[in-house]
Amino acid sequence: KDDRKQLNEVINHAREKYVNEVRGLGPTLQEVLPQSRVLTHQPTLVRDDAIKQSVSLLVKDGVVNDAYADEIIEQLDAFGPYMVISKHIALIHAKHNHVNKSVGFSLIHFEKGVNFNHQQYDPVHIIITLATEQPQIHLNALRQFSELVMDDKARQTLFSGHLPGIMSCIYKVSQH
């Protein structure tokens, strides 16, 4: 019993050390999600058009090409709405084949929501698009995004569509 306890302490210590070392690697959310790629108070669209609009913000900045949206749509058609990650939030992404820059995010707020056919979490009011060239370079920004959506006050700000408030939340979470 004591050996198990000691072994757990060693494992937990090693895990904490690894997390702290990796925590700051890669760009921050603020670096990969500039205000130019945040749209608020958008009218309701059908799912595929909402996806294309979200991806278009990354296309405009040269982060991905147009085929990125098609691949996301194909994945959702094949596997269902698994990219809807929590109530009213979708994190859409595809493989790196159509990514031109290391990492980029976009965020769109849809006032009345978009139907993704998710039984629990529809309608989706926030679509975050993630594009990454390498599997782990985006983890710091993704961790910060997770912190943002798990914070009740920041989450309310996202759903309000108040652009200065959203950018302030992104700035604050990027400082940790």
Side-chain angles (χ1 to χ4, degrees):
K1 190 174 180 179
D2 286 340
D3 289 346
R4 261 196 318 250
K5 185 179 175 186
Q6 280 184 322
L7 189 56
N8 279 333
E9 286 176 13
V10 168
I11 291 169
N12 288 335
H13 177 71
R15 187 177 299 139
E16 287 298 315
K17 184 179 176 193
Y18 174 75
V19 167
N20 286 331
E21 287 172 1
V22 172
R23 186 177 197 119
L25 293 180
T28 65
L29 185 59
Q30 182 181 16
E31 292 171 320
V32 298
L33 183 56
Q35 186 168 330
S36 62
R37 292 201 299 254
V38 178
L39 293 179
T40 60
H41 300 287
Q42 296 301 295
T44 300
L45 296 172
V46 295
R47 184 199 74 180
D48 292 359
D49 289 343
I51 290 168
K52 288 175 184 173
Q53 182 186 18
S54 190
V55 170
S56 74
L57 297 170
L58 295 171
V59 170
K60 186 177 78 176
D61 285 351
V63 177
V64 298
N65 62 38
D66 286 322
Y68 197 71
D70 297 331
E71 190 173 325
I72 292 169
I73 292 165
E74 287 172 22
Q75 293 284 5
L76 289 167
D77 288 344
F79 302 110
Y82 72 98
M83 293 185 206
V84 180
I85 59 168
S86 72
K87 193 171 187 178
H88 308 307
I89 298 177
L91 176 66
I92 62 174
H93 51 88
K95 294 179 193 143
H96 65 277
N97 308 12
H98 306 289
V99 179
N100 303 324
K101 293 186 178 174
S102 61
V103 64
F105 283 59
S106 70
L107 183 153
I108 299 189
H109 162 261
F110 292 92
E111 209 154 17
K112 294 190 174 142
V114 175
N115 186 357
F116 271 68
N117 291 317
H118 194 285
Q119 286 184 314
Q120 287 178 281
Y121 299 148
D122 267 351
V124 169
H125 291 279
I126 300 292
I127 297 179
I128 300 280
T129 305
L130 163 62
T132 185
E133 202 174 44
Q134 300 166 6
Q136 297 181 327
I137 192 104
H138 67 285
L139 293 180
N140 189 41
L142 188 59
R143 175 189 58 79
Q144 291 171 348
F145 171 71
S146 296
E147 288 178 20
L148 195 68
V149 297
M150 289 189 292
D151 177 280
D152 287 337
K153 192 174 179 184
R155 193 177 170 93
Q156 286 176 346
T157 301
L158 287 175
F159 290 131
S160 77
H162 182 253
L163 185 58
I166 291 170
M167 295 314 298
S168 176
C169 289
I170 290 169
Y171 172 79
K172 285 177 190 167
V173 79
S174 296
Q175 302 311 303
H176 320 149

